[in-house]
Amino acid sequence: MSTGATLGLYGLGTMGSALALNILDKGFGLHVSNRSDQVVDAFRNDAAAAGLADNLSAHHDLETMVPAMPGPRAVILMVPAGAPVDETIDRLRPLLTPGDAIIDAGNADFNDTRRRTEALEAAGLTYIGMGVSGGEEGARHGPSIMVGGTEQAWSGIRSMIESIAARYEGVPCAAHLGPDGAGHFVKTVHNGIEYADMQMIAEIYGLMRHGQGLAPAEIGKTFAVWDSGPLQSYLVGITGKILKAEDAPGVPAVDAILDQAGQKGTGRWTVIEAVKLGQSATTVEAAVAARSWSAEKPLRETGEGLYGQTAGPVDLSEAQLEQALLAGRIIAYAQGFRTLLAASDAYGWSLDPARIAEIWRAGCIIRSALLDDIAKAFRGDLPQGQLVFAPAFKDMLDDSLPALRAVVAQAASGGHPVPALAAALGFLDSMTRARGTTDLVQAQRDFFGRHGFDRVDGGEDRHGPWWR
Ligand code: 6PG
């Protein structure tokens, strides 16, 4: 594709219609279509009501939209991940001509993006896997955008993407991060960090609610205060607002919501890919597990019936809870970035972690005050790419780690589940021990299976005395 391609967008759900309005708002012409005629008509009305219909061509199906678009064309897909993307590509392929591009702007498993890129590029088409973060509000007014594809593909869409993206101190939060699946991989890890951060926030809320007996509105006030300090972030900010909201007079909004969390797959993909890469994003894993356990409510009810409720008092100050959350958050980011760097090596992407942190500073769901520090740390000298070893983060963790220990210890003795915070602490305690306890694991492996081990003294004998 080349600069100046005619733009189309298929899939006018919440995110698709918000992104389409954003594109029109920035003065670009746009063709749109959707599976259902009513959705197309409603979108046309919404665009007209917003004064944005001048450059809009709305079509009832893909088969009429694409021929109406002068080439070269770039069609943005905003359809659910998985089979719906493959089905839409199958319908699009015969309508497109070499030089046209398909941009998958939904969340996608990067393995699918790599497969689709290979197949479409063999047919002379361009495929761009593009992560878009920021929810509905971000898509409408400025998301963070993570692009994967060729340099040529990026140069064809760059000006449009940069004009619809969020800005941090005037700089667009959009970047070309690497070829094929790189953009979708980075977006997946972004979501993994999002899962971990959300879970740790919920764990701190749980301690305040059930261990200190505070009402949601009071806890919300504390989160609002934290949002002006080192924890400043979109997720802490919305948590303050959520906890202060009421479903009916005197009924906190959270109390009206079933405690069964949904998940569409990006957290799970992060965990799976991290493990495949020899990494372990344990805070994300804990968050995914917590959502899965939450979905099994009848089992939890049986468990509570058998074991009784475990929610004893906890003696923790607001400052300790704030610092513990900060330490947990730093460790979740560190695990996420380490996973990104491992993928970059494995797939030859040359990901720039500082640039990734920079484009996450505005627009996306995990935007936080820490990201500017993370970008600076990666621009500086960072031992082994490990964020927790960067001097600025070492200082922050020296200050906040005692609070994380106190919170995990109090939670454990009071019987409050804090799987993500405990995972964060376990990771740091493991990664700061030059000699751990896997010497014993190696001995066990050798004992039952003659697997052999390396000796501390470099000696030749690779088996223990149990085999002599
Ligand atoms: C974002 C969000 C967005 C979506 C999540 C929700 O960055 O804008 O991450 O992509 O809200 O994917 O995912 P779950 O339904 O799995 O929580």
Side-chain angles (χ1 to χ4, degrees):
M1 72 173 287
S2 61
T3 314
T6 309
L7 287 173
L9 186 147
Y10 183 74
L12 292 168
T14 308
M15 291 292 283
S17 50
L19 198 68
L21 289 175
N22 185 357
I23 293 169
L24 290 165
D25 209 3
K26 300 299 176 314
F28 295 94
L30 185 67
H31 293 253
V32 298
S33 179
N34 191 77
R35 205 156 41 103
S36 131
D37 292 358
Q38 290 97 312
V39 171
V40 174
D41 298 339
F43 178 77
R44 197 190 342 239
N45 292 340
D46 289 350
L52 296 173
D54 289 354
N55 297 324
L56 172 69
S57 306
H59 308 264
H60 280 159
D61 53 52
L62 262 186
E63 288 69 18
T64 49
M65 179 178 94
V66 177
M69 296 168 61
R73 312 168 180 96
V75 181
I76 301 169
L77 304 186
M78 288 297 278
V79 296
V85 175
D86 285 316
E87 282 156 23
T88 312
I89 291 173
D90 287 346
R91 283 174 59 200
L92 263 174
R93 269 181 81 155
L95 306 170
L96 298 174
T97 49
D100 289 347
I102 298 176
I103 304 170
D104 177 7
N107 286 325
D109 180 330
F110 90 109
N111 295 295
D112 288 339
T113 306
R114 282 163 73 83
R115 167 178 58 78
R116 291 169 186 146
T117 302
E118 203 181 320
L120 290 166
E121 294 197 340
L125 298 170
T126 297
Y127 195 70
I128 298 173
M130 187 169 94
V132 177
S133 176
E136 182 181 359
E137 179 67 15
R140 175 65 184 88
H141 296 290
S144 169
I145 305 181
M146 295 144 254
V147 178
T150 62
E151 279 293 344
Q152 202 196 354
W154 169 237
S155 65
I157 59 167
R158 182 174 182 164
S159 63
M160 185 272 289
I161 294 299
E162 289 187 341
S163 61
I164 63 168
R167 294 189 127 63
Y168 181 86
E169 293 178 352
V171 180
C173 289
H176 176 227
L177 300 172
D180 54 75
H184 275 147
F185 191 92
V186 173
K187 175 59 168 53
T188 295
V189 172
H190 163 285
N191 282 25
I193 297 169
E194 172 186 304
Y195 272 53
D197 207 33
M198 291 166 74
Q199 173 63 22
M200 290 189 288
I201 289 172
E203 290 174 8
I204 294 289
Y205 156 74
L207 291 170
M208 297 169 90
R209 181 90 195 258
H210 307 297
Q212 298 185 323
L214 296 172
E218 289 174 80
I219 304 170
K221 280 187 208 154
T222 303
F223 271 88
V225 172
W226 289 348
D227 193 31
S228 320
L231 283 176
Q232 189 284 315
S233 58
Y234 174 73
L235 285 171
V236 163
I238 64 164
T239 302
K241 290 182 187 146
I242 291 166
L243 291 173
K244 284 190 260 174
E246 289 188 337
D247 185 58
V251 182
V254 276
D255 287 1
I257 301 172
L258 258 182
D259 59 331
Q260 290 180 289
Q263 48 182 322
K264 290 196 280 294
T266 47
R268 190 168 58 240
W269 298 340
T270 305
V271 173
I272 291 169
E273 296 307 331
V275 170
K276 281 193 202 161
L277 290 161
Q279 299 297 313
S280 190
T282 51
T283 54
V284 184
E285 206 171 303
V288 171
R291 289 196 194 189
S292 303
W293 296 333
S294 85
E296 299 200 282
K297 193 163 174 77
L299 265 187
R300 290 189 285 119
E301 283 166 347
T302 305
E304 186 174 310
L306 280 172
Y307 286 85
Q309 243 206 24
T310 53
V314 295
D315 180 18
L316 294 161
S317 68
E318 269 183 23
Q320 280 176 308
L321 291 159
E322 179 186 28
Q323 287 296 305
L325 187 51
L326 182 66
R329 172 177 282 179
I330 292 170
I331 292 166
Y333 277 122
Q335 292 186 334
F337 275 97
R338 186 75 178 164
T339 304
L340 289 175
L341 291 171
S344 183
D345 281 351
Y347 302 108
W349 286 336
S350 306
L351 292 180
D352 176 353
R355 189 76 196 104
I356 293 168
E358 281 165 6
I359 64 166
W360 285 351
R361 289 177 302 186
C364 71
I365 302 294
I366 62 167
R367 61 187 184 261
S368 79
L370 278 183
L371 280 159
D372 199 40
D373 299 320
I374 295 176
K376 286 186 183 122
F378 279 113
R379 290 254 174 263
D381 179 25
L382 190 46
Q384 294 143 311
Q386 181 48 263
L387 194 63
V388 295
F389 296 164
F393 286 93
K394 160 85 170 55
D395 289 350
M396 278 188 243
L397 285 168
D398 279 343
D399 290 346
S400 57
L401 214 50
L404 181 59
R405 286 192 197 293
V407 164
V408 172
Q410 287 270 328
S413 48
H416 300 270
V418 289
L421 290 165
L425 185 59
F427 169 80
L428 199 79
D429 282 340
S430 300
M431 296 309 286
T432 51
R433 259 181 195 222
R435 183 166 172 87
T437 53
T438 51
D439 41 5
L440 181 58
V441 173
Q442 286 293 75
Q444 290 163 334
R445 291 175 68 242
D446 186 59
F447 193 102
F448 62 65
R450 269 191 204 263
H451 293 287
F453 48 72
D454 293 329
R455 294 184 61 88
V456 172
D457 60 12
E460 294 284 300
D461 192 357
R462 299 193 69 248
H463 297 289
W466 39 88
W467 288 114
R468 284 180 204 140

